[in-house]
Amino acid sequence: MGRSPCCEKEHTNKGAWSKEEDERLIAHIRTHGEGCWRSLPKAAGLLRCGKSCRLRWINYLRPDLKRGNFTDDEDHLIIKLHSLLGNKWSLIAGRLPGRTDNEIKNYWNTHIRRKLLSRGIDPSTHRAVSAISSDHNNKDKSSSSSNSEESSPSWRRRRQQQQQQRPLFRVPDLNLELRISQPFQESHDAADIQSKGMLCFVCSSRSKQCKCNISGGGGFLGLTTGALDYRSV
DNA sequence: AATGCATACAACCGCCGTACC
DNA sequence: TGGTACGGCGGTTGTATGCAT
């Protein structure tokens, strides 16, 4: 049997969203709120798959989205978080207010990867390319290939194969267990956690239940401060 | 001006985890 | 306990745009 499709594909639009579709979706979510994506298209009068509506809203229409270029700070934060988390785009996006996982993923693939490569850093391992090539006894010389070659389809395929063959790089003895917290806050001392109802990174409790005696600064990547502050990275 | 190639990014696809029955 | 629905995620593709020739 298997699962039923998420929608009737014969009766749904695909491709770019029109202005009218956007307006319908926005209007529907304004009055009914997010959620129940499967039934939303019918209720909103859209010939779209529920998943498509969700993606359009989350990645493009949400009012709290920050459009425009990434700042240097955001750049650095993405690189640092990627070195810790790998391709966990949603977790990375959770630390960049107003940015979506899709946006960060695209930005990584189009800008940051190339930037790191041009600096001689392997974007998947965050190690110097020369170190990697010596690790592998020059087996994969193409990993230091020229930038002009890297974006070609054949280069992408080769690179995928290399990554499958290459042993995973692991940061030794790092406990990367993560807890969900609210996005980055300007300040994050214990008083803030209690007064603003933030989620404590240390004990995972909210507001007044938090008994962690945390003070600013110190700690790896600021994680021990209860909230990740990328400026400490 | 026409053409081909490269780039950027929106959107889709397929899979997974979880909740619910 | 197993099946199904659903939301969410990461990888991939499609296409519009910009640039070089």
Side-chain angles (χ1 to χ4, degrees):
Chain A
M1 269 287 272
R3 291 171 50 177
S4 59
C6 72
C7 52
E8 295 173 40
K9 300 199 184 229
E10 315 89 69
H11 301 114
T12 55
N13 288 343
K14 282 179 127 186
W17 280 64
S18 68
K19 202 165 180 218
E20 194 196 337
E21 286 177 310
D22 281 348
E23 283 165 2
R24 276 177 185 266
L25 180 56
I26 292 168
H28 185 272
I29 291 176
R30 271 196 190 137
T31 46
H32 299 94
E34 288 182 48
C36 204
W37 296 106
R38 190 180 167 89
S39 58
L40 183 147
K42 200 174 179 182
L46 288 163
L47 292 173
R48 289 279 179 175
C49 160
K51 271 187 169 186
S52 182
C53 294
R54 176 185 158 270
L55 225 57
R56 182 66 179 169
W57 174 254
I58 287 174
N59 288 330
Y60 204 81
L61 298 176
R62 249 169 46 199
D64 59 329
L65 287 182
K66 189 198 287 180
R67 313 293 305 177
N69 295 339
F70 282 75
T71 64
D72 283 347
D73 277 350
E74 287 175 316
D75 253 35
H76 293 141
L77 178 58
I78 291 169
I79 292 168
K80 277 292 171 190
L81 289 171
H82 186 273
S83 72
L84 286 169
L85 303 167
N87 295 353
K88 300 289 177 195
W89 305 116
S90 59
L91 287 175
I92 295 172
R95 289 283 141 201
L96 284 137
R99 302 293 189 186
T100 69
D101 52 357
N102 206 36
E103 194 179 11
I104 293 170
K105 179 172 60 183
N106 282 331
Y107 185 66
W108 174 270
N109 287 328
T110 54
H111 293 86
I112 300 181
R113 273 188 69 239
R114 196 166 319 122
K115 193 162 115 182
L116 292 178
L117 281 166
S118 72
R119 291 180 188 169
I121 298 168
D122 186 288
S124 56
T125 63
H126 296 264
R127 296 168 74 191
V129 169
S130 58
I132 290 162
S133 58
S134 66
D135 281 356
H136 296 271
N137 290 329
N138 297 326
K139 256 189 262 175
D140 84 17
K141 280 178 189 166
S142 55
S143 64
S144 56
S145 58
S146 69
N147 292 340
S148 59
E149 192 202 5
E150 82 174 44
S151 55
S152 70
S154 61
W155 182 88
R156 285 187 195 174
R157 272 194 296 277
R158 250 184 296 140
R159 176 153 185 83
Q160 261 183 337
Q161 287 168 0
Q162 286 163 15
Q163 284 176 349
Q164 282 164 5
Q165 288 160 11
R166 181 180 299 152
L168 279 174
F169 170 69
R170 296 186 188 285
V171 179
D173 302 329
L174 274 182
N175 180 0
L176 293 178
E177 184 184 354
L178 293 169
R179 294 202 169 91
I180 303 301
S181 73
Q182 292 186 336
F184 166 74
Q185 305 282 333
E186 198 58 40
S187 63
H188 46 72
D189 56 16
D192 269 342
I193 286 174
Q194 290 181 4
S195 66
K196 294 178 184 171
M198 291 166 64
L199 182 66
C200 177
F201 221 157
V202 179
C203 67
S204 304
S205 71
R206 273 187 196 279
S207 65
K208 295 178 178 62
Q209 279 88 42
C210 174
K211 296 183 175 63
C212 297
N213 183 24
I214 57 175
S215 55
F220 181 59
L221 286 170
L223 289 172
T224 60
T225 66
L228 180 60
D229 181 348
Y230 65 81
R231 286 165 301 192
S232 69
V233 169

